[in-house]
Amino acid sequence: MGIPTGGTITTDGLYTIHSFTTSGTFTVDKSGNVEYLVIAGGASGGGNIGGGGGAGGYLTATGFAVTDQAYPITVGAGGVGAAGTGNNGANSVFSSITATGGGAGGTIDVNGVTGGSGGGGGGANAGSGARTGASGTVGQGSAGGNGVDNGAGNDTCGGGGGGKGAVGANAVAATSGGAGGAGTASSITGSSVTRAGGGGGGRNLSASGGVAGSGGGGAGAATQYANGSNGTVNTGGGGGGAGNVGTGGNGGSGIVIIRYLTTDFPESGGSFLLNFV
């Protein structure tokens, strides 16, 4: 029997780690238990005073049983930035585990979109009412924040996209787009890395763009007519919302990481007890 294959293989003390930054196959030739981290692609932020994109869904657990077979791994792409409502991220999949792509940020006068974490609501024209952030998927992420209607049609801003660890913040009229929700840290690779942060909301005129959520989120537009910043690749971070007539930032692609006790999957056969990670 051989050791499992697939992805980029590293070790950390007693553990072997398989990191998939693109789609591939995880192959094992015996039964055992593994730990996983599965993060979907983040959504893009909304264009034209848009809300921040929601982070990709984030799922992790230990003691997950695998058997003698090849497991296709799907690493979800981030949503592509748009001039209107953004685009959701794509799902990431390992075995029976599916992390849901992040929800897109809304554009002017449009609500955010539901996803792994929800997209922020877009800004609003004078008197049309605030646009709401969307909900996240239970156990995978948080809701997006609301856009704001300042009643004058000028310094309106988009809400922040949700992150795994926190909801996106609501926008503040004439002040700033909502901050993206924070991501969550994992030490599955041996060092602590924060992923799945939401994108900051877009802005107009003298307001400022929303701050990026920690863990790969993109910031909201830096100037009135700027595009939102992109989410970071392989973090599932949401893209930032755009300024007036700008394009929302792209969402960051997801990642799948699998680790196990090296002694659970030795290179040669023999009788032994399986350990739980």
Side-chain angles (χ1 to χ4, degrees):
M1 292 188 291
I3 61 173
T5 61
T8 299
I9 302 174
T10 57
T11 59
D12 175 55
L14 299 176
Y15 295 97
T16 297
I17 302 135
H18 295 246
S19 298
F20 292 85
T21 55
T22 59
S23 298
T25 304
F26 178 64
T27 302
V28 296
D29 63 6
K30 65 176 295 295
S31 297
N33 294 290
V34 301
E35 178 180 359
Y36 64 78
L37 174 64
V38 180
I39 301 176
S44 62
N48 190 15
I49 319 177
Y58 182 115
L59 292 169
T60 188
T62 60
F64 183 80
V66 295
T67 58
D68 178 6
Q69 63 179 290
Y71 292 89
I73 301 292
T74 301
V75 175
V80 178
T85 297
N87 290 293
N88 282 16
N91 296 348
S92 288
V93 182
F94 162 51
S95 186
S96 60
I97 308 304
T98 299
T100 304
T107 187
I108 189 79
D109 290 336
V110 176
N111 298 333
V113 179
T114 299
S117 284
N125 286 310
S128 63
R131 293 303 183 251
T132 59
S135 61
T137 300
V138 175
Q140 298 195 27
S142 306
N146 299 333
V148 67
D149 177 2
N150 72 345
N154 292 320
D155 285 351
T156 181
C157 303
K164 168 58 178 176
V167 300
N170 296 335
V172 180
T175 300
S176 68
T184 294
S186 168
S187 297
I188 193 170
T189 58
S191 58
S192 180
V193 180
T194 300
R195 303 178 179 90
R203 46 72 64 89
N204 192 24
L205 293 181
S206 60
S208 60
V211 176
S214 60
T223 61
Q224 179 182 353
Y225 299 108
N227 298 330
S229 297
N230 296 334
T232 303
V233 297
N234 297 132
T235 67
N244 190 5
V245 307
T247 298
N250 298 332
S253 54
I255 194 168
V256 174
I257 303 173
I258 301 165
R259 82 168 183 175
Y260 49 84
L261 284 168
T262 304
T263 53
D264 279 2
F265 295 90
E267 189 167 356
S268 59
S271 298
F272 50 88
L273 293 175
L274 293 175
N275 295 315
F276 286 81
V277 180

